[in-house]
Each structure stands twice: as structure tokens, then as C-alpha cells.
Amino acid sequence: MRIAAIVGAGLAMLSTLAVAQNSTNATAMLQPKAPQGAKVFFVAPKDGATVGRDVHVEFGVTGIKLEPATNVSSNSGHHHLLIDVGTLPAMNAPIPSDAHHLHFGKGQTETTIRLSPGEHTLQLDFGNYAHMQFDPPIVSKKITIHVK
């Protein structure tokens, strides 16, 4: 009986290690290295702009392929617009999808958002097909706009 318990414990430990290794491999597959020189940026609005409540936002990208989230090829991804977000999302989880993290998984390069009057920040975060950030993250400079 004692030998069976030791063998069983050993097998459980090996199983746990295998799951951890597979999890690490899966994260590495979902979070690829960013291509050298890949950049995202705002075409519009410009940093410091004063805009109306309906804000037309245009996204730019260079050095990496813009593709819908349904395309799982490497060195490609799509835009995420971060609105009034203080820090970037966690690297080991998909970029959230909520009122502050807008997904453009169809490969869109522009949108119109409605914001309340006041000061707001915008930032682009480029994610892969699984909405994971690249390593290092491909993010734009954070801009500030003033909504009248």
C-alpha cells in the first residue's frame, strides 16, 4: 500500500508539472514576441485636441500586419482602444473588453466614440488573434483630448 501511495504521489506531481509546462507553452504561443520596429499611433485626433462629444478616432500601424482576430498568423494583430486607462492590462491575460478597452477585432482602423465633457486619455494597444499583448507591448503614446 505504501509503495502505491508514493508512486501515486509521484505521478500526481509529474501531471502537475506537465500541466504547468503546457500552460507556459500556451502563454508563449498566445503572447508572441513583437516584431522589431512595430508601432501603433493615432492619425486623429491629435494630442491636446479639443473635440466634440462624438470623437472620430483613426488608428495607424506600421511594422506589423493588421488582420482580423480570426487570422491566427504570426506577426499580425488588431487594435484595442484604451479610454481613460491608467495602466496597461496584465501581460498574461487577454486585453479586457469593456467600456474602457474597446476591441477592433475585424481589423478596423477608425471609429467614432461618444465621451462626456472634460479631459480624457486615449491609447492604442495592439493585440494578437487571442487579444493578448505582444512582448514587449505594441502601444501608442497616450494622448489627452479635451471634450467640450
Side-chain angles (χ1 to χ4, degrees):
M1 273 306 236
R2 190 160 170 89
I3 292 174
I6 292 170
V7 170
L11 289 174
M13 183 182 290
L14 287 174
S15 176
T16 300
L17 288 172
V19 168
Q21 182 62 42
N22 286 339
S23 176
T24 300
N25 290 342
T27 299
M29 287 172 48
L30 293 177
Q31 188 177 39
K33 292 287 182 194
Q36 183 99 17
K39 295 179 185 174
V40 291
F41 53 91
F42 288 100
V43 175
K46 298 295 182 196
D47 190 24
T50 298
V51 296
R53 291 193 66 195
D54 292 325
V55 184
H56 183 74
V57 184
E58 294 178 49
F59 324 132
V61 60
T62 185
I64 190 167
K65 199 171 193 181
L66 176 67
E67 294 279 357
T70 54
N71 185 330
V72 296
S73 66
S74 62
N75 291 328
S76 70
H78 60 279
H79 293 287
H80 298 82
L81 177 61
L82 310 184
I83 304 169
D84 297 328
V85 172
T87 58
L88 289 177
M91 291 286 290
N92 62 350
I95 298 167
S97 181
D98 56 34
H100 296 280
H101 303 84
L102 305 182
H103 289 239
F104 295 90
K106 293 180 182 175
Q108 305 97 306
T109 58
E110 63 183 315
T111 191
T112 299
I113 56 174
R114 187 165 189 80
L115 296 173
S116 61
E119 189 172 280
H120 295 276
T121 62
L122 303 177
Q123 188 171 26
L124 293 172
D125 191 353
F126 204 74
N128 72 356
Y129 65 91
H131 306 282
M132 297 288 288
Q133 295 181 79
F134 286 82
D135 181 18
I138 303 171
V139 295
S140 70
K141 175 184 172 231
K142 189 179 287 189
I143 65 169
T144 301
I145 58 173
H146 309 280
V147 178
K148 14 178 199 172

